[in-house]
Amino acid sequence: MSLNKVRVRFAPSPTGPLHMGGVRTALYNYLFAKKHKGTFILRIEDTDQTRFVKGAQDYILDSFKWCGITPDEGPGIGGEYGPYIQSERKDIYQKYAQILIDTDKAYYAFDTSDELAKMRDEAKKMGMPNWQYNGVSRMNMRNSLTLPQSEVDTLIANNTPYVIRMKMPRNEDVRFEDEIRGWVVVNTNNLDDKVLFKSDGMPTYHLANIVDDHAMEISHVIRGEEWLPSAPLHVLLYDALNWKRPKFAHLPLLLRPDGNGKLSKRDGDRLGFPVFPLDWTTIEGELYSGYREKGYFPEAFINMLAFLGWNPGTQQEIFSLEDLSNAFSLARVSKGGAKFDPEKTKWFQQQYIRSTHDEDLANMLEKHFPKGLSNSEKVTVCSLMKERATFIEDIIKDGAYLFDRPKAYDEKVLAKKWKSHTAGLIKDWVKIIEDLTDFTATNLESKFKAFLEEKELGFGAVLLPFRLLVTGVGAGPGMFDISEFLGKDEVLERIESGLLHIEEIKNEA
Ligand code: GLU
């Protein structure tokens, strides 16, 4: 491996569905790898078997597939550094725990969970609610630092459950340079003696994580801010094992739309937007909704996600995955939390729907169109409706009047825009329509303009009532385009029945 080769990893624990914050972490890793012609690795961190959730790993892979983020190495993909699932690497870790013990960087601790609970209780009673197993308290506990060697040997020989803990040095400053945050300095007196290895023969996250990052030759650890407090321990472990530290970059948190706190998995459906890429149903049957099922395009989702914590430094907002790979840099990732904006997310989706070819939209909607429409009609419906649509179904839903005559007429528009002289004006306009042989949008428009000029009227005085009669609603795509699509006879019939209906309403009022 060349020294400067970029190798990054996304290392989720399969404890549930992947939150959009997780997808963003994966995305930034992916973009960073692509930008530097490096390697993007997926590693499953499942050493905590008690938190394992069935289906979570498949969910991660399915989400990646939907988003177009393809790992270069990982489970089911292969690579020279596998296996890529930590439970399949079980035998690797013990050796390093032993080295740490042998070099006095770690120690055995035999305290039972009852003993630990008792210590915590006593500390609480003495006004110390946050008791920690650390450089001071360890001397009052049952471990290989306090017990005679012979007793330690006997306990181990008798298979007494133990854990291996980090022997956190006293009063040392741990320093490392974070690619996003700059220098981070933490005094070890603020750190506890974390468990590195458990009696079930499994390492904890901390040990497995650094052992694998080293073994997989990870050059940059790019992960969420929630892991920043663990970084000093990781740095000390690299140093203790005489390994080169990777570079670190801790990404900003994703915040709720009001900026109040971290965006959590419960927020989504509560606040009316998804926080997961795909739908996920818990074993209890609870559904967390996903962007895919809500109708977002993966391109829009990724584009939106990329901007949550990063910006290109220009006005450009629309970026394909490839554009993002070229533009991305850690230097432009912000330190401060990134506020999630559901409206902006919809805006991205709108931009993507607008830039999708009408033919492609028509194909996507194939099953949704009412029967009897020709292909070219379907394409026209898409071209008419996509400007105002957020999701592809909106094209059919909002464009219902392109298939069926209106059953009702927007009452607000009617109250506001239907004047005593409106019906008369419409009847004059109908006369012009009746004489038209060329019923194209362009011709209709020029005839309409001439009609207004002659009557010395503004656009709205007739156009809006015309729209209301033909579509039943007060807004939509160009009325002349709609008219051309419907055809002369249909337009005239709609106007006629609309007028009858409205006059009835007006008479009743
Ligand atoms: N397994 C950790 C997680 O679930 C990985 C943290 C890291 O990237 O070091 O997020």
Side-chain angles (χ1 to χ4, degrees):
M1 186 193 88
S2 89
L3 268 178
N4 299 320
K5 180 114 175 67
V6 164
R7 288 179 56 83
V8 291
R9 85 307 190 266
F10 177 58
S13 301
T15 54
L18 190 60
H19 179 271
M20 62 193 256
V23 185
R24 188 201 55 178
T25 302
L27 173 66
Y28 284 11
N29 273 284
Y30 171 87
L31 296 176
F32 187 76
K34 294 297 138 193
K35 168 83 182 231
H36 297 283
K37 311 227 169 336
T39 306
F40 170 57
I41 297 148
L42 173 65
R43 181 175 75 223
I44 302 293
E45 300 205 327
D46 61 345
T47 54
D48 189 352
Q49 295 283 326
T50 57
R51 295 181 60 218
F52 183 82
V53 171
K54 210 171 150 251
Q57 188 180 320
D58 286 342
Y59 182 94
I60 294 164
L61 292 168
D62 290 347
S63 304
F64 276 14
K65 205 178 268 172
W66 181 65
C67 294
I69 304 176
T70 319
D72 302 302
E73 297 173 20
I77 300 153
E80 285 170 33
Y81 297 75
Y84 295 92
I85 301 181
Q86 285 185 329
S87 56
E88 293 172 14
R89 302 171 63 80
K90 206 175 156 197
D91 299 339
I92 300 175
Y93 309 107
Q94 185 145 23
K95 179 170 122 199
Y96 298 105
Q98 192 58 51
I99 294 176
L100 291 168
I101 296 250
D102 294 346
T103 52
D104 199 27
K105 300 287 199 284
Y107 60 93
Y108 295 104
F110 301 95
D111 319 272
T112 62
S113 41
D114 282 352
E115 283 165 348
L116 290 170
K118 207 172 130 216
M119 278 315 285
R120 276 195 199 97
D121 270 0
E122 277 170 15
K124 206 184 241 169
K125 277 182 207 140
M126 288 163 69
M128 292 179 294
N130 301 318
W131 181 84
Q132 284 190 323
Y133 207 120
N134 61 19
V136 177
S137 66
R138 68 165 83 114
M139 297 320 286
N140 301 319
M141 307 302 290
R142 290 202 314 125
N143 54 51
S144 56
L145 302 174
T146 57
L147 301 172
Q149 185 60 42
S150 55
E151 194 176 338
V152 172
D153 293 342
T154 316
L155 285 167
I156 292 176
N158 291 343
N159 288 328
T160 314
Y162 63 79
V163 295
I164 296 176
R165 286 184 181 271
M166 175 76 179
K167 189 177 171 191
M168 192 51 77
R170 291 297 292 162
N171 201 22
E172 265 180 31
D173 280 341
V174 187
R175 292 167 192 276
F176 64 94
E177 195 176 6
D178 187 277
E179 300 289 297
I180 295 166
R181 282 146 218 282
W183 282 98
V184 177
V185 186
V186 178
N187 188 279
T188 51
N189 284 357
N190 299 315
L191 302 172
D192 61 340
D193 289 1
K194 280 268 182 296
V195 174
L196 302 175
F197 201 82
K198 295 169 288 178
S199 44
D200 63 1
M202 276 290 209
T204 59
Y205 153 72
H206 301 291
L207 183 65
N209 187 266
I210 65 112
V211 166
D212 285 348
D213 281 347
H214 174 74
M216 295 180 182
E217 303 194 39
I218 298 302
S219 61
H220 296 72
V221 167
I222 305 172
R223 61 186 173 191
E225 184 178 321
E226 63 273 29
W227 299 104
L228 188 58
S230 301
L233 167 65
H234 297 177
V235 162
L236 286 172
L237 284 169
Y238 284 106
D239 294 355
L241 290 163
N242 280 321
W243 290 343
K244 184 171 180 273
R245 304 172 182 180
K247 293 206 157 96
F248 290 95
H250 289 90
L251 306 175
L253 290 177
L254 292 194
L255 304 177
R256 290 199 191 113
D258 61 6
N260 249 334
K262 206 172 134 177
L263 185 68
S264 83
K265 62 177 185 183
R266 303 230 161 251
D267 287 330
D269 291 314
R270 189 174 62 82
L271 299 174
F273 51 80
V275 294
F276 292 98
L278 320 176
D279 272 3
W280 169 268
T281 310
T282 64
I283 29 173
E284 293 81 28
E286 200 182 347
L287 172 79
Y288 290 121
S289 59
Y291 280 88
R292 180 179 67 184
E293 288 77 2
K294 284 271 186 249
Y296 284 88
F297 289 172
E299 296 83 358
F301 174 65
I302 285 295
N303 199 153
M304 171 283 286
L305 216 49
F307 273 75
L308 285 181
W310 169 86
N311 72 77
T314 64
Q315 295 299 312
Q316 186 183 344
E317 289 189 284
I318 301 300
F319 282 82
S320 67
L321 197 55
E322 203 188 329
D323 297 338
L324 286 169
S325 307
N326 294 325
F328 187 77
S329 77
L330 287 175
R332 298 211 63 89
V333 173
S334 57
K335 289 195 209 34
K339 245 192 268 174
F340 172 67
D341 180 349
E343 289 313 311
K344 188 75 189 184
T345 307
K346 281 193 189 145
W347 179 86
F348 275 112
Q349 169 60 20
Q350 282 159 355
Q351 305 313 305
Y352 277 89
I353 219 175
R354 277 180 206 174
S355 62
T356 305
H357 292 302
D358 303 334
E359 290 75 8
D360 293 336
L361 289 172
N363 282 337
M364 291 179 208
L365 281 168
E366 187 51 43
K367 287 197 197 86
H368 298 78
F369 279 112
K371 298 245 159 357
L373 247 57
S374 72
N375 257 347
S376 82
E377 282 171 329
K378 288 176 192 167
V379 172
T380 310
V381 169
C382 293
S383 112
L384 285 174
M385 299 310 298
K386 74 175 180 186
E387 289 300 314
R388 285 162 179 262
T390 303
F391 303 111
I392 54 169
E393 286 82 4
D394 295 342
I395 292 179
I396 309 266
K397 208 169 62 197
D398 299 344
Y401 51 75
L402 297 174
F403 322 115
D404 295 309
R405 292 187 179 170
K407 291 183 187 68
Y409 300 86
D410 189 315
E411 285 171 23
K412 271 198 202 128
V413 183
L414 204 54
K416 222 169 144 192
K417 298 285 170 185
W418 201 275
K419 311 276 187 246
S420 52
H421 60 280
T422 304
L425 290 173
I426 288 288
K427 283 174 190 159
D428 292 341
W429 170 230
V430 164
K431 278 188 207 129
I432 299 174
I433 298 182
E434 278 169 342
D435 290 342
L436 285 182
T437 42
D438 174 12
F439 201 72
T440 56
T442 347
N443 191 38
L444 262 172
E445 185 168 359
S446 77
K447 291 291 176 312
F448 186 72
K449 280 187 181 151
F451 166 70
L452 293 184
E453 235 162 75
E454 188 204 311
K455 299 259 174 203
E456 292 183 0
L457 290 167
F459 235 72
V462 192
L463 193 64
L464 206 60
F466 176 41
R467 181 184 291 283
L468 194 64
L469 289 165
V470 175
T471 68
V473 292
M479 253 330 278
F480 308 112
D481 295 315
I482 294 180
S483 303
E484 179 179 332
F485 175 80
L486 293 172
K488 182 167 150 179
D489 294 346
E490 177 68 15
V491 168
L492 286 172
E493 277 174 49
R494 285 187 184 202
I495 295 179
E496 196 183 330
S497 61
L499 274 176
L500 279 175
H501 191 96
I502 288 169
E503 272 164 16
E504 240 167 66
I505 301 176
K506 289 278 169 191
N507 286 340
E508 275 168 25

